[in-house]
Amino acid sequence: SAVISQKPSRDICQRGTSLTIQCQVDSQVTMMFWYRQQPGQSLTLIATANQGSEATYESGFVIDKFPISRPNLTFSTLTVSNMSPEDSSIYLCSVEARWREDPDTQYFGPGTRLTVL
Amino acid sequence: DAKTTQPPSMDCAEGRAANLPCNHSTISGNEYVYWYRQIHSQGPQYIIHGLKNNETNEMASLIITEDRKSSTLILPHATLRDTAVYYCIVRGNAGNNRKLIWGLGTSLAVNP
């Protein structure tokens, strides 16, 4: 089965700075997703990133704050810009897999735990 | 909002079956029931999904009622490593209905 990795696994950042999170898949996938999980909360979808097109953002999330790149079928980045303590969360990427028998199932990376001071 | 209702927490003795219920009374005919679990803030792990029929894999069994308004995830022999938050999600296969909408899940504690 394919492997989904994220870098960094965790980071502590100062407010006002930016952090870019990488998501790497060892198989080609069409759809990648970015989620946020705030402390004690469930997952919230930030955006959907398809290769070759602009990311589609969910209500409450904007490109200026969370720019996303999707340069090829195995890689994506999410940047958390101008961070504040409210951005402290776990950030997760997921992919819709085609290497399993059901192509519509989402599989998740290990997450990036971000703390903003 | 999530289209499912789950109890916030459950306990299970190690070695016994864990039966996790989920209500999805507004489920549509083309919507699937998906189960994921999240172990201590790791990335969610896919467990199983189904449409109408009961399903079984190496991790668990999924029992869906005939009217599809509820389902039960069964971990046949729970171990301490099964302690996690379990999420039941209803998901369609087109447009916005394909999105995974996450509730708060059931926090399962497997006790020795």
Side-chain angles (χ1 to χ4, degrees):
Chain A
S1 62
V3 174
I4 306 167
S5 61
Q6 288 185 232
K7 290 182 181 179
S9 58
R10 59 177 62 228
D11 207 342
I12 301 173
C13 301
Q14 297 296 320
R15 68 173 66 208
T17 63
S18 297
L19 176 71
T20 295
I21 302 167
Q22 299 178 6
C23 181
Q24 179 77 52
V25 189
D26 67 355
S27 298
Q28 293 185 341
V29 295
T30 301
M31 299 187 73
M32 296 181 76
F33 306 85
W34 287 98
Y35 289 82
R36 179 177 73 181
Q37 187 173 27
Q38 295 176 301
Q41 302 298 312
S42 192
L43 280 73
T44 301
L45 180 64
I46 298 173
T48 301
N50 292 333
Q51 195 269 334
S53 63
E54 295 288 326
T56 303
Y57 289 82
E58 297 299 306
S59 176
F61 297 96
V62 294
I63 187 171
D64 289 347
K65 176 67 175 176
F66 297 102
I68 289 171
S69 77
R70 182 77 201 276
N72 57 51
L73 291 173
T74 63
F75 187 78
S76 178
T77 67
L78 170 76
T79 299
V80 186
S81 304
N82 188 25
M83 288 184 286
S84 67
E86 291 71 35
D87 294 320
S88 297
S89 296
I90 298 172
Y91 291 86
L92 296 146
C93 74
S94 72
V95 306
E96 278 193 350
R98 295 190 183 277
W99 60 83
R100 309 282 179 113
E101 58 186 28
D102 181 345
D104 291 327
T105 298
Q106 281 190 33
Y107 297 89
F108 286 79
T112 295
R113 181 184 292 274
L114 171 62
T115 302
V116 183
L117 302 177
Chain B
D1 292 345
K3 297 179 66 174
T4 61
T5 304
Q6 299 177 252
S9 63
M10 292 183 65
D11 287 286
C12 178
E14 187 178 19
R16 305 297 294 269
N19 297 287
L20 292 93
C22 180
N23 286 322
H24 31 80
S25 59
T26 61
I27 192 170
S28 299
N30 62 351
E31 290 180 322
Y32 290 77
V33 180
Y34 277 78
W35 283 84
Y36 287 81
R37 72 180 181 183
Q38 189 174 27
I39 299 173
H40 191 53
S41 298
Q42 298 177 18
Q45 178 186 23
Y46 164 77
I47 301 174
I48 200 168
H49 74 278
L51 182 62
K52 297 179 182 179
N53 299 323
N54 297 337
E55 302 288 344
T56 296
N57 63 19
E58 65 277 7
M59 290 183 66
S61 294
L62 174 60
I63 309 299
I64 302 174
T65 58
E66 191 169 345
D67 63 6
R68 302 209 323 123
K69 293 185 177 181
S70 66
S71 60
T72 301
L73 179 75
I74 301 173
L75 308 178
H77 305 287
T79 71
L80 299 179
R81 289 178 293 181
D82 292 322
T83 293
V85 178
Y86 287 77
Y87 296 95
C88 170
I89 301 171
V90 166
R91 179 190 181 211
N93 54 15
N96 278 336
N97 213 21
R98 295 180 64 199
K99 296 179 184 177
L100 295 176
I101 309 298
W102 300 73
L104 293 176
T106 296
S107 179
L108 175 68
V110 180
N111 303 310

